[in-house]
Amino acid sequence: MSSLDSARRNLGIVARWETLLLLLLGATILYGTSVSPYFLEWTNLFFISLNVGEIAIMALPLTLLVISGEIDLSVASILGLTGVLMAELFKHGWPIWPAMIAAVALGMVLGAFNGFLVTRVGLPSLAVTIGTLTLYRGIAQGVLPTDTIGGFPTGLSSIGVTPIPHTHIPYSIAFFGVLAVVFAVVLHATPLGRAIFAIGASQEAAFFAGIRVKRIKFWLFVLSGMLSGFAGVLWTLRFSSARYDSGVGMELFVVTAVLLGGVSIFGGRGTIAGIVLAVAVLGCLQTAMTADLVPAQDQNIVVGGLLLASVIVPNTADMYRRARARLRSAGARRHAAAQADAP
């Protein structure tokens, strides 16, 4: 199969998946309106968007990482640790803006540490980021074991609870919208995006094609850490406080958003449009279940089910297509052999 045929096949798979996501989003909205007559009111839509803002932002760099064949499970722990650093610096007399910049810079350092272990030491990203998930959370707990730090400037802390003036859009979703456009252009319309897809499809082939595989992966981990740090700043301002356990368990929702968005867990396939739809589905579904008084543990069961389905369904379909292609190929060879043996 030529590379053009492969690209067309992947595009067809993604388009069909995004169509399914649109149908799922429609079904989720119907569910929400059935349990609450206020589901589609602007105030409720604001809070739906607000609840998934940080998840959506962290899902963007993770999308690039998973397409390249790697993963970062430490994103929520980076969110917690960077929020703690910002709060501690502010508590000790730093102006809020330098403290926020330092938090984002720390996120880049933590992402670079992940990238170094994966690309230079050669460790698998799954094992590395499971380890740093615990490590970064432990450091945050060591710095701020039980206390909660608050008292941030009102003008900044209000961005988490008020929309952009004259709109119903949260600041976090506005940031996500701008970033999503940038990521979509980079991923789908630049040589870097093509290189990321090539690395995910076949790392060895990408290397021999002259693509700097390790360098690209390293900077993708740095990018993931940076935007997780930015999400940590937004999270801390939204709740006007910092705790070591901020964002605990959020990595499940970030990974679910990425895989539900149609990104292949094996790399080489995915779109930013799919991520946007998946974030919308998760936000609407979580709010609808809360309105329906579904317990939190049952909500996690639903999210886990979506995560499994987003891995099983596309790969089962891929296996079916490959098996059907092999049968057709074998049938064609038998037919050619029969034709050659015919007198």
Side-chain angles (χ1 to χ4, degrees):
M1 180 181 292
S2 69
S3 59
L4 181 58
D5 290 337
S6 178
R8 286 173 176 168
R9 181 177 65 84
N10 284 339
L11 183 60
I13 293 170
V14 169
R16 288 192 292 272
W17 187 258
E18 289 175 357
T19 301
L20 288 175
L21 283 177
L22 281 171
L23 294 174
L24 181 58
L25 178 59
T28 304
I29 291 173
L30 286 176
Y31 169 50
T33 54
S34 70
V35 298
S36 172
Y38 310 107
F39 188 79
L40 291 179
E41 290 191 355
W42 283 114
T43 301
N44 192 58
L45 292 176
F46 167 77
F47 285 107
I48 290 174
S49 302
L50 187 65
N51 289 336
V52 295
E54 293 85 7
I55 293 172
I57 289 170
M58 292 189 291
L60 289 173
L62 185 60
T63 297
L64 304 190
L65 272 172
V66 176
I67 289 175
S68 74
E70 304 294 346
I71 197 166
D72 185 358
L73 297 178
S74 67
V75 289
S77 295
I78 293 177
L79 176 149
L81 181 52
T82 53
V84 164
L85 174 72
M86 183 185 85
E88 280 287 340
L89 293 177
F90 181 71
K91 177 183 176 181
H92 286 85
W94 280 48
I96 187 62
W97 285 101
M100 291 163 60
I101 293 170
V104 175
L106 174 63
M108 295 177 68
V109 172
L110 299 177
F113 181 64
N114 287 339
F116 172 79
L117 293 178
V118 173
T119 62
R120 301 302 173 185
V121 181
L123 300 176
S125 58
L126 179 63
V128 166
T129 56
I130 287 176
T132 53
L133 178 156
T134 307
L135 172 64
Y136 298 160
R137 187 68 68 185
I139 294 173
Q141 186 173 9
V143 173
L144 194 66
T146 56
D147 296 335
T148 298
I149 298 177
F152 299 105
T154 305
L156 284 174
S157 59
S158 64
I159 70 172
V161 292
T162 59
I164 296 172
H166 311 298
T167 73
H168 297 277
I169 302 172
Y171 284 88
S172 58
I173 286 297
F175 291 133
F176 168 68
V178 173
L179 289 170
V181 172
V182 173
F183 273 69
V185 171
V186 170
L187 184 61
H188 302 298
T190 67
L192 175 59
R194 291 191 289 274
I196 292 171
F197 278 113
I199 292 170
S202 175
Q203 179 172 307
E204 186 176 355
F207 175 78
F208 285 111
I211 295 173
R212 296 179 179 272
V213 174
K214 290 184 178 180
R215 177 178 295 183
I216 290 174
K217 286 188 175 183
F218 174 81
W219 285 108
L220 289 180
F221 276 104
V222 174
L223 180 63
S224 179
M226 182 181 74
L227 287 185
S228 296
F230 179 57
V233 170
L234 293 177
W235 178 279
T236 304
L237 293 177
R238 174 153 74 100
F239 290 98
S240 297
S241 64
R243 288 176 51 88
Y244 80 89
D245 57 354
S246 294
V248 166
M250 190 184 289
E251 58 276 342
L252 170 65
F253 292 90
V254 179
V255 172
T256 301
V258 171
L259 298 184
L260 183 62
V263 179
S264 173
I265 189 64
F266 300 109
R269 188 172 73 232
T271 66
I272 299 300
I275 304 304
V276 174
L277 288 172
V279 167
V281 169
L282 286 176
C284 291
L285 183 60
Q286 190 175 32
T287 302
M289 288 191 293
T290 302
D292 201 20
L293 303 180
V294 176
Q297 62 269 22
D298 292 343
Q299 293 187 26
N300 288 335
I301 292 173
V302 173
V303 173
L306 285 175
L307 178 58
L308 285 175
S310 62
V311 174
I312 293 171
V313 174
N315 289 292
T316 301
D318 277 347
M319 290 172 60
Y320 171 73
R321 277 187 290 269
R322 286 195 294 267
R324 190 172 60 178
R326 285 195 296 268
L327 287 174
R328 282 201 303 264
S329 178
R333 287 195 299 269
R334 286 196 298 269
H335 179 72
Q339 290 284 347
D341 292 339

